[in-house]
Amino acid sequence: NGASLPPVKLPRFKEMRSQMRRKAKQEAESQMHELEAKVEEIEEQIRSVQDRLKVVNDFTKENNAASSAAFPDHLLGELANLIVANGSASILSIANKLEANNPGQASKRNTCAKIEQIAVKEQRNDDSKPMWHIRDAFAHLLEADPSRQVRHRKDEREEDSKPRKDSVVTENGENGDADQSGAVGPDGEIVPFPEYTGDEPPRECKKAFTHFCNGTRKEVKASLPPGERRDKHTVNALLKERWFSMSEEERVTWKKWEEWDLKRFERDSAIYQHRKTPRKNRSSSAGTDDSPQKTIEIHVPKKKKLS
């Protein structure tokens, strides 16, 4: 037909490159926004944890300060002498004794806070283990010379180190010369054993780590968010982390519980073995002495012959 075609307009190279750059820029900005949102979320979680820790610390400090301030002044002298007299006893044991001597006058929390304020438990020159010592600022509260108190504690340690009689299980399953109703616990005081009849095999003794887990599991769960408290894997992992981060000195308490539990197991095993032993064997073993035995004659009538 001879008619000319309209010209075709092609995009220029510069425009194509500009479009590609804009697209790449938009994608990069989108990814940047996503990363920033994730970072903000993580930072918010960190701030939340820090805020909770701060609240816990502030609450603890306020409670300690309030408890210390609420302790009656007229009991300070008695508390100071009680601390020195009890040597290496636990802080709770001392608080219990003060409460027993002065019922209703000071709570255990207040007493424990005041003990930490006026005394320190550490191992000094003449001490074989960590002992309570009154701080210099409160030495005037002591009624007796502190050196006499130290000598008194030393005499007590020597008395405790003397050998004691081993307990014996009698025929009735009871204790003989020594009392086996308990054993010395971590605080240096007798902790009673649970009642055991011997009807079932004794419960195996537990290791120090098991006692640690049983004693701190509730505390570890309470430190977790509510949704993670039932997660056994998380709780057990935290328990292991705490245990392996503890020093040997910090593990002493739990190792002493292991020793106490071993003595409990030995007591229960002796009772269980005694219950399993037949009574005839027990009586025969018990009657092996050389004392003469009385003979009892029994008259048996003869049978009459039939006529």
Side-chain angles (χ1 to χ4, degrees):
N1 297 326
S4 60
L5 295 174
V8 178
K9 189 174 182 180
L10 297 174
R12 296 180 180 178
F13 175 74
K14 291 183 177 181
E15 294 177 353
M16 293 177 61
R17 188 170 60 179
S18 177
Q19 291 176 0
M20 293 174 63
R21 287 179 176 176
R22 283 198 299 271
K23 185 177 180 181
K25 186 177 180 180
Q26 290 175 357
E27 292 178 353
E29 290 178 352
S30 177
Q31 293 178 357
M32 182 65 70
H33 290 318
E34 292 179 0
L35 291 175
E36 289 178 351
K38 291 181 180 179
V39 171
E40 289 179 358
E41 183 179 355
I42 293 174
E43 290 178 348
E44 182 63 28
Q45 293 177 358
I46 294 174
R47 282 194 295 270
S48 177
V49 173
Q50 291 175 342
D51 291 341
R52 283 186 291 180
L53 290 175
K54 185 178 180 181
V55 170
V56 171
N57 291 335
D58 293 343
F59 178 77
T60 303
K61 291 179 180 178
E62 291 176 0
N63 277 355
N64 290 341
S67 300
S68 178
F71 187 84
D73 292 338
H74 67 278
L75 294 180
L76 279 176
E78 181 179 353
L79 178 61
N81 286 276
L82 193 63
I83 292 171
V84 175
N86 280 272
S88 62
S90 69
I91 188 171
L92 188 58
S93 174
I94 298 174
N96 288 336
K97 291 182 179 181
L98 185 73
E99 174 67 19
N101 297 337
N102 305 275
Q105 297 193 37
S107 66
K108 293 180 182 178
R109 178 181 293 182
N110 295 346
T111 304
C112 290
K114 182 58 69 174
I115 291 173
E116 292 180 345
Q117 180 184 358
I118 69 174
V120 59
K121 191 175 185 179
E122 60 186 8
Q123 186 171 351
R124 297 185 179 178
N125 297 333
D126 297 333
D127 298 334
S128 59
K129 56 185 176 180
M131 307 285 288
W132 284 106
H133 299 275
I134 299 297
R135 301 181 189 273
D136 294 339
F138 300 93
H140 64 280
L141 297 173
L142 297 175
E143 296 176 357
D145 185 4
S147 60
R148 294 174 59 187
Q149 297 282 359
V150 171
R151 288 195 297 271
H152 177 66
R153 289 204 304 261
K154 187 176 181 180
D155 294 339
E156 287 182 345
R157 291 198 300 271
E158 293 176 353
E159 183 68 23
D160 293 339
S161 63
K162 294 181 180 179
R164 299 178 181 178
K165 294 183 179 179
D166 295 333
S167 58
V168 179
V169 180
T170 63
E171 183 178 354
N172 297 327
E174 299 176 351
N175 295 330
D177 295 336
D179 184 14
Q180 268 203 334
S181 61
V184 177
D187 300 337
E189 298 183 353
I190 298 296
V191 179
F193 293 140
E195 184 178 354
Y196 178 70
T197 60
D199 296 332
E200 298 180 355
R203 187 178 70 254
E204 291 292 333
C205 52
K206 300 174 183 177
K207 298 295 183 181
F209 175 69
T210 305
H211 286 287
F212 166 77
C213 292
N214 294 340
T216 58
R217 189 178 299 275
K218 290 184 179 180
E219 179 185 349
V220 170
K221 284 186 176 181
S223 66
L224 293 172
E228 299 181 8
R229 293 176 183 175
R230 294 187 178 182
D231 188 351
K232 293 184 179 180
H233 178 74
T234 302
V235 175
N236 292 337
L238 286 175
L239 288 170
K240 289 181 180 179
E241 182 181 351
R242 284 195 179 188
W243 175 257
F244 288 114
S245 64
M246 292 170 63
S247 63
E248 287 298 325
E249 185 178 0
E250 293 172 329
R251 296 182 185 181
V252 169
T253 298
W254 307 108
K255 289 183 178 180
K256 288 184 178 180
W257 275 122
E258 178 181 348
E259 296 174 359
W260 176 90
D261 201 25
L262 177 60
K263 294 178 181 178
R264 186 273 314 161
F265 176 73
E266 293 174 349
R267 188 282 308 253
D268 293 354
S269 298
I271 296 176
Y272 181 69
Q273 292 297 330
H274 179 80
R275 291 292 299 271
K276 285 181 62 179
T277 305
R279 184 171 294 275
K280 292 182 179 179
N281 295 347
R282 279 184 283 174
S283 60
S284 62
S285 62
T288 56
D289 55 354
D290 298 333
S291 58
Q293 299 181 357
K294 294 182 179 180
T295 304
I296 301 176
E297 296 182 357
I298 302 175
H299 177 71
V300 179
K302 297 181 179 181
K303 291 182 179 181
K304 296 182 178 179
K305 293 183 179 181
L306 297 176
S307 57

